[in-house]
Amino acid sequence: MLKITHFSVENSYVGTGVFASRPRFSWKLESDKNDTFQTAYKIDIAGLCEGEKIYSAQSVWADYAGTPLAPATEYTAKLTVWDNHGQSATSELAFETTLFDCGFKGAQFIAADLGYNSDCAVLFKKVTLKSRPQRARAYVSALGMYELSVNGQKAGDAFFAPGWTDYRRTLQYQTYDITALLCEGENIIEIEVAKGWYRARLADYGNNLYGNKNAAISEIRIDGDVINTDKTWSSRKSNVVMSELYDGETCDCTLDTSQIFPVQIVEFDKSRLANQIGPSCHAVSELGVVRKIITPKGEHVLDFGQNAAGVVRFKVNGLRGQRVTLRYAEVLDDEGNFYTGNLRTAKSTDTFILSGGEQVLNARFTYHGFRYVRVEGMEARAEDFTFLVISSDLPQTGRISSSDGDIERLARNILWTQRSNFVDVPTDCPQRDERLGWTGDIAAFCETAAVNSGCSAFLNKWLRDMRGAQGEDGDIPIIIPPPAPVCGTSAIWADSVTIVPWAVYLEYGDKRLLKEQFPAMLKYLAKQRSLKGATGLIKSGHQFGDWLALDADPAVDGKRGATDVYFIANAYWANSLFIAAQTARILGEEEGCESLLRERDELIAAIRREFFTPNGRMVSETQTACVLALKFGIVPEEHKDVVISTLRRCVEKRKGHLSTGFAATQYLLQTLTKYGLEEQAQSIFLNRTCPGWLYEVEKGATTVWERWNAILPDGTLFEPEMNSFNHYASASVGAYLYRTVAGIEQTEAGYKSFSVRPHPLKGVKEFSAEIDSVYGSICSGYKTKNGKIIFTVKVPANTSATIFLPDGTSRTVGSGNYTFECEGGDYGVKQVYTLESRLCDFMADERVVEVASKIAPQMFGGQSGASLSSLKLSFGQLVSMSDEKAGEMLKGLLKEVNKKLGEN
Ligand code: BGC
């Protein structure tokens, strides 16, 4: 049977209404038959338009070609689909349009006139209705954050409306169905407004960056009547007396808020009002306390067991005037005390002055990044406290499972890091005095993010701000939305202009985003061109380089890494040219594509002249330089082997650890694997020492860290100045798990067709990845059993996949579930020793002697044995010093030893 699921219009799951008169529809298909393809579809809109049967396999982003939809109207769409097996299916979808661009004509921005500029205030109006309304909608926005309530009940359950946009250009409005909240007779409509991103302090940029008055605007349609915000509204004080993003909130429940004040009109350009296009922030989950701690200092601390973003809600039965203070932290220090050093100037404190009696309270216009809360002023009973995890509400679309619990934990940590940092904009961190839309961070993480969660709408919204904030000269600010009109630029950060939309396009197949973003890409590339000097390269200007790479000389600059910053800048420029060229081709601009590719060729030639010797050595012989050169197609064919062996040496030098920063971590493991260094990739990934992903897991991380040594091996904390425990740049390793280990990669955008080329992890007996693609669920997994390795692959309807197995075979299949069995080799064997292991450790291990002395007796007897074990050589170094035959023998020895140890 053919079945339609997930019939949706634009991103209607975001629940804010459809914002286009000619929206696009998407759906997924399921069938009990293999090789199912859609042959035709038809969309009717009840009462408006009978669609035509369109003979096409398109099932995502299908344009609606009928009569344009009207604003603020409810519709029902009916979809019929036919497939190649002669089956058909239908599905219906009810949706509603927003005001489009024709709202708020009679409404004005109003602010409370309390006689002083408060952090928070309530604007309200009494409305008398003759009867309960049939249909009531409120369209609302604010300069600041707001909550709408009707008769004391909050409309919707979103946090932080209207969201953070570049208010200098765009201000989103939201739609609320308030029909059920209104009653016959007198009603009170209230909009509580707080500072929010509009006025709160943002990093070092200060307060009141967009304006110094909080105000709200609303158009409320109740049946045939319209109520606008204007001078007829009134205002009063709010119980929230202090509200800051970093410092937290103070709520005085004893404050007398009954006095009525007038409102004042605030001038703000209404043409900036725009539909909300991304999902709202919500309490996406609620966590209970896992442990109550009294620290050595005597602090009463509750542990929620998970680092994330949000606030704490608590229940209290207190006295009037009792003061309860909650302070938030990500970690305890090595002595077990509450630690806030890494929050820098963020006070991250919520204070509540109780009204007396039973109360349930939480901060509403701020959030914190934390796992622990310190409670003062009341008894910290675990059952009274709940962590409201606040995040943009995104459906989880990626899942990893494995027999190795640490890998599963890492995958969960990556998701939690995304959840904590996708708070209306993609931020760097949720805890310290930043929480900003740093463009370089999302450039590194966007591919993983797009697999993990459905973030097409979320990133579309952010890219709309990027396009608006792009400088006249094409500059892309390092932070979007930019807190200040000028806030600098740098390669990678600016290259997010191509990298982010490209990742979104590949994951979800949305061509319109590419079309919207293409002019911004070209403008950026024109700016790059204007900066190039006589060598054809950019060699000046501010660069963050390989941010936080571990190979930096701390005396020179501890954060920028050892790789030449202009090599990185030019390499990323070449990549941006390549993405823009692909975009031009997809948009049908063949000539533009050719000229961008020519420009890229010239740039690559210039990079080679400047940064490569005639024999293939590179100016910076670092992991980052080699990876970028290989990944971005910069290495001349004749020098590939040289660069690959340089890369191998760079990994060996670090004993199977990485040294890359923001520039290359996201490409490192995939590139190593692609160029025959799979063993090195796995050794970097699987090692449990610092720096490494699983080191963090072993240290108890529940989110991914900014610094590899955030907690040092001895348990002490790295210096507080830059030490976030919730940063996603290195969480980009998620893409390695999906693309390389599970091997799922698009060959057509959105996975209309894709390849599956698994690379099982040695010693990890089971692994599988699932991606809920826009076509349906894709799975790739393996299991090792009795010397065999069994691969399973799931291909959704209306797509095809080419599967490449490690035994060298391949096949192309349509939808269905498939199982393949291959010889297992040593895949199932845990790699106790690797090429990066030290010989002295190996030879001192009694368990290996029996096997090893049979295969390589010369290593274990007499003089040479003693001198070998006294050297601090790695196995790999010994292999590279040996001739070919001895090298093979050593590798064979390693295999046999692992087989023996790994099976025990
Ligand atoms: C942020 C980063 C960001 C960087 C720019 C930091 O403070 O947390 O993740 O990209 O500044 O160098």
Side-chain angles (χ1 to χ4, degrees):
M1 216 180 64
L2 182 69
K3 205 170 104 190
I4 298 170
T5 68
H6 299 83
F7 181 28
S8 63
V9 52
E10 288 297 337
N11 288 300
S12 57
Y13 68 85
V14 303
T16 56
V18 169
F19 44 80
S21 60
R22 289 184 190 279
R24 297 164 306 165
F25 290 89
S26 302
W27 55 93
K28 300 183 191 186
L29 296 175
E30 281 176 14
S31 169
D32 50 5
K33 288 193 163 39
N34 276 8
D35 298 316
T36 297
F37 285 96
Q38 175 182 300
T39 52
Y41 71 91
K42 177 173 177 293
I43 297 169
D44 307 318
I45 309 276
L48 186 74
C49 133
E50 171 89 8
E52 260 178 61
K53 183 169 179 180
I54 297 171
Y55 290 86
S56 161
Q58 186 171 6
S59 57
V60 297
W61 311 113
D63 282 319
Y64 165 66
T67 318
L69 307 178
T73 309
E74 286 164 71
Y75 293 100
T76 303
K78 183 179 168 201
L79 167 70
T80 312
V81 168
W82 291 265
D83 75 6
N84 56 328
H85 301 300
Q87 307 192 94
S88 66
T90 58
S91 180
E92 280 194 357
L93 170 72
F95 65 93
E96 179 175 334
T97 51
T98 64
L99 290 175
F100 298 162
D101 292 327
C102 41
F104 303 102
K105 294 280 182 280
Q108 290 169 299
F109 281 92
I110 53 168
D113 198 356
L114 307 175
Y116 65 98
N117 199 6
S118 61
D119 279 16
C120 192
V122 181
L123 309 159
F124 66 94
K125 186 174 173 84
K126 287 189 176 142
V127 178
T128 307
L129 300 178
K130 285 202 196 83
S131 59
R132 278 195 71 145
Q134 299 288 309
R135 183 180 195 274
R137 297 289 184 270
Y139 304 95
V140 188
S141 187
L143 308 176
M145 281 177 188
Y146 76 88
E147 280 186 4
L148 167 73
S149 47
V150 178
N151 296 327
Q153 224 180 307
K154 181 173 161 178
D157 55 3
F159 277 82
F160 310 153
W164 189 5
T165 47
D166 184 1
Y167 304 125
R168 296 180 190 92
R169 295 170 184 85
T170 307
L171 176 66
Q172 298 191 126
Y173 70 84
Q174 286 70 38
T175 306
Y176 300 88
D177 179 352
I178 54 167
T179 319
L181 301 180
L182 290 163
C183 59
E184 186 187 324
E186 190 172 275
N187 293 270
I188 177 152
I189 298 175
E190 293 173 302
I191 306 174
E192 189 168 7
V193 202
K195 281 170 123 179
W197 293 287
Y198 190 80
R199 283 184 58 214
R201 172 166 67 101
L202 294 177
D204 295 336
Y205 296 91
N207 280 88
N208 297 322
L209 292 170
Y210 300 98
N212 58 10
K213 268 224 146 45
N214 291 123
I217 189 165
S218 178
E219 175 175 326
I220 299 169
R221 298 186 177 189
I222 304 176
D223 295 329
D225 295 327
V226 176
I227 297 160
N228 289 313
T229 41
D230 57 19
K231 271 284 203 189
T232 65
W233 285 55
S234 307
S235 68
R236 60 176 175 80
K237 288 179 187 169
S238 160
N239 292 104
V240 176
V241 292
M242 192 283 283
S243 177
E244 280 285 340
L245 286 167
Y246 304 145
D247 294 340
E249 204 160 286
T250 302
C251 178
D252 182 354
C253 307
T254 63
L255 190 75
D256 178 3
T257 59
S258 59
Q259 195 183 343
I260 297 177
F261 296 87
V263 297
Q264 49 184 273
I265 303 297
V266 172
E267 291 308 323
F268 187 85
D269 177 4
K270 282 197 276 181
S271 70
R272 292 183 213 168
L273 283 163
N275 298 287
Q276 176 175 338
I277 59 172
S280 308
C281 291
H282 288 268
V284 294
S285 68
E286 296 192 1
L287 307 175
V289 172
V290 296
R291 197 163 55 116
K292 183 179 167 177
I293 303 160
I294 299 182
T295 68
K297 282 190 183 162
E299 303 147 312
H300 288 238
V301 172
L302 300 174
D303 175 5
F304 292 97
Q306 175 61 55
N307 200 23
V311 292
V312 162
R313 184 183 65 204
F314 65 100
K315 210 167 64 190
V316 64
N317 194 344
L319 299 173
R320 188 170 176 81
Q322 186 179 333
R323 200 183 178 90
V324 174
T325 306
L326 306 180
R327 176 101 158 99
Y328 299 88
E330 292 189 291
V331 287
L332 303 179
D333 68 15
D334 55 326
E335 287 170 0
N337 287 312
F338 194 70
Y339 178 80
T340 54
N342 67 327
L343 309 184
R344 305 199 302 215
T345 67
K347 293 196 185 92
S348 287
T349 304
D350 295 333
T351 304
F352 303 85
I353 300 162
L354 307 182
S355 60
E358 278 237 343
Q359 286 184 280
V360 177
L361 296 162
N362 61 263
R364 292 177 293 132
F365 302 110
T366 188
Y367 71 98
H368 312 282
F370 66 100
R371 168 176 165 169
Y372 300 93
V373 65
R374 187 180 70 197
V375 180
E376 285 170 346
M378 70 179 277
E379 196 191 333
R381 293 196 319 175
E383 61 273 28
D384 293 336
F385 291 79
T386 305
F387 187 155
L388 302 181
V389 176
I390 301 177
S391 174
S392 288
D393 198 1
L394 307 173
Q396 185 184 337
T397 49
R399 269 167 290 271
I400 300 283
S401 55
S402 172
S403 53
D404 183 325
D406 287 352
I407 295 177
E408 281 196 345
R409 179 72 240 189
L410 171 66
R412 276 207 304 283
N413 291 1
I414 295 171
L415 263 169
W416 275 106
T417 307
Q418 179 169 356
R419 210 169 274 150
S420 315
N421 280 298
F422 275 29
V423 179
D424 213 59
V425 307
T427 63
D428 56 336
C429 57
Q431 76 297 87
R432 68 176 175 228
D433 48 2
E434 288 203 70
R435 314 183 196 178
L436 302 168
W438 282 98
T439 48
D441 300 49
I442 188 64
F445 184 61
C446 56
E447 183 179 5
T448 298
V451 180
N452 269 339
S453 304
C455 48
S456 144
F458 175 87
L459 290 172
N460 257 276
K461 174 229 171 214
W462 183 74
L463 287 166
R464 174 172 74 179
D465 274 339
M466 174 188 279
R467 294 191 293 273
Q470 183 171 31
E472 278 304 309
D473 60 353
D475 251 357
I476 298 292
I478 45 179
I479 301 168
I480 303 286
V486 178
C487 72
T489 189
S490 164
I492 308 177
W493 278 251
D495 292 289
S496 57
V497 71
T498 58
I499 293 171
V500 177
W502 187 245
V504 174
Y505 168 71
L506 287 181
E507 196 61 29
Y508 311 110
D510 178 1
K511 231 189 242 186
R512 189 184 63 191
L513 172 64
L514 284 187
K515 194 165 173 205
E516 285 169 350
Q517 190 76 6
F518 189 50
M521 294 184 188
L522 293 182
K523 204 164 152 190
Y524 167 65
L525 292 169
K527 186 222 145 187
Q528 293 287 85
R529 203 172 301 133
S530 76
L531 291 177
K532 82 179 174 192
T535 53
L537 298 169
I538 294 175
K539 289 206 283 178
S540 62
H542 167 259
Q543 297 295 337
F544 287 121
D546 191 13
W547 188 247
L548 302 186
L550 298 169
D551 48 12
D553 176 354
V556 182
D557 186 336
K559 296 202 188 83
R560 264 156 241 258
T563 309
D564 186 290
V565 296
Y566 295 112
F567 170 76
I568 295 174
N570 287 290
Y572 264 84
W573 177 17
N575 181 49
S576 279
L577 282 164
F578 185 69
I579 294 174
Q582 303 311 304
T583 304
R585 177 158 293 150
I586 289 159
L587 299 178
E589 300 194 16
E590 211 43 58
E591 251 175 62
C593 170
E594 290 307 322
S595 102
L596 287 161
L597 288 178
R598 270 197 306 279
E599 192 177 348
R600 172 177 175 267
D601 287 345
E602 283 162 24
L603 173 60
I604 286 179
I607 297 175
R608 288 175 181 169
R609 281 196 300 274
E610 180 86 9
F611 295 101
F612 281 82
T613 69
N615 294 330
R617 302 279 308 270
M618 291 175 71
V619 162
S620 301
E621 293 200 314
T622 60
Q623 292 179 13
T624 290
C626 296
V627 166
L628 295 185
L630 289 164
K631 169 78 189 168
F632 296 154
I634 295 168
V635 183
E637 200 48 49
E638 66 274 22
H639 294 329
K640 272 209 174 125
D641 288 347
V642 182
V643 174
I644 292 167
S645 68
T646 308
L647 177 55
R648 183 170 46 73
R649 272 204 317 280
C650 290
V651 177
E652 262 164 24
K653 228 168 42 196
R654 298 202 163 248
K655 301 199 170 58
H657 292 81
L658 55 74
S659 61
T660 49
F662 273 40
T665 300
Q666 71 269 38
Y667 305 126
L668 174 68
L669 303 184
Q670 298 191 53
T671 306
L672 284 166
T673 310
K674 180 168 174 191
Y675 290 97
L677 302 175
E678 181 175 356
E679 207 165 310
Q680 283 75 0
Q682 296 201 1
S683 139
I684 292 174
F685 177 68
L686 291 170
N687 87 64
R688 281 158 159 83
T689 47
C690 188
W693 289 276
L694 300 182
Y695 167 76
E696 296 181 11
V697 170
E698 284 214 338
K699 283 280 173 203
T702 60
T703 39
V704 178
W705 302 343
E706 178 177 31
R707 315 297 286 245
W708 297 103
N709 54 355
I711 299 177
L712 295 150
D714 67 3
T716 56
L717 299 172
F718 185 70
E719 58 199 44
E721 181 236 337
M722 266 195 71
N723 196 20
S724 151
F725 288 83
N726 208 342
H727 237 73
Y728 54 51
S730 70
S732 59
V733 72
Y736 166 71
L737 297 177
Y738 290 104
R739 303 281 185 244
T740 304
V741 181
I744 305 166
E745 191 144 27
Q746 311 90 326
T747 45
E748 251 183 282
Y751 305 91
K752 178 81 180 92
S753 66
F754 57 97
S755 56
V756 179
R757 196 188 296 267
H759 290 272
L761 291 164
K762 288 208 174 151
V764 176
K765 290 189 187 307
E766 288 183 34
F767 180 92
S768 88
E770 182 183 5
I771 303 175
D772 291 335
S773 76
V774 287
Y775 289 93
S777 162
I778 297 172
C779 296
S780 162
Y782 71 82
K783 257 186 199 162
T784 56
K785 209 175 169 191
N786 305 332
K788 302 270 184 214
I789 181 158
I790 298 147
F791 293 94
T792 48
V793 177
K794 182 173 171 191
V795 180
N798 210 20
T799 70
S800 63
T802 304
I803 302 163
F804 300 87
L805 297 177
D807 63 7
T809 61
S810 71
R811 65 276 282 155
T812 297
V813 296
S815 60
N817 292 303
Y818 303 92
T819 304
F820 309 98
E821 195 176 284
C822 301
E823 283 308 315
D826 57 353
Y827 276 123
V829 177
K830 188 166 162 57
Q831 301 297 288
V832 180
Y833 288 103
T834 66
L835 287 174
E836 278 66 42
S837 305
R838 293 194 313 173
L839 277 172
C840 53
D841 299 332
F842 180 81
M843 293 173 67
D845 186 341
E846 282 174 9
R847 297 171 305 168
V848 311
V849 177
E850 190 196 329
V851 183
S853 54
K854 271 187 214 143
I855 300 175
Q858 66 278 32
M859 281 177 74
F860 287 84
Q863 272 259 258
S864 69
S867 64
L868 265 184
S869 54
S870 68
L871 288 174
K872 295 240 148 68
L873 277 184
S874 73
F875 227 95
Q877 282 167 319
L878 183 62
V879 171
S880 58
M881 286 157 57
S882 312
D883 61 29
E884 204 175 312
K885 198 166 150 226
E888 284 311 310
M889 187 270 294
L890 287 166
K891 284 186 190 165
L893 168 64
L894 207 54
K895 213 169 170 170
E896 284 308 309
V897 167
N898 277 327
K899 208 164 153 199
K900 176 162 182 271
L901 300 187
E903 277 167 0
N904 289 332

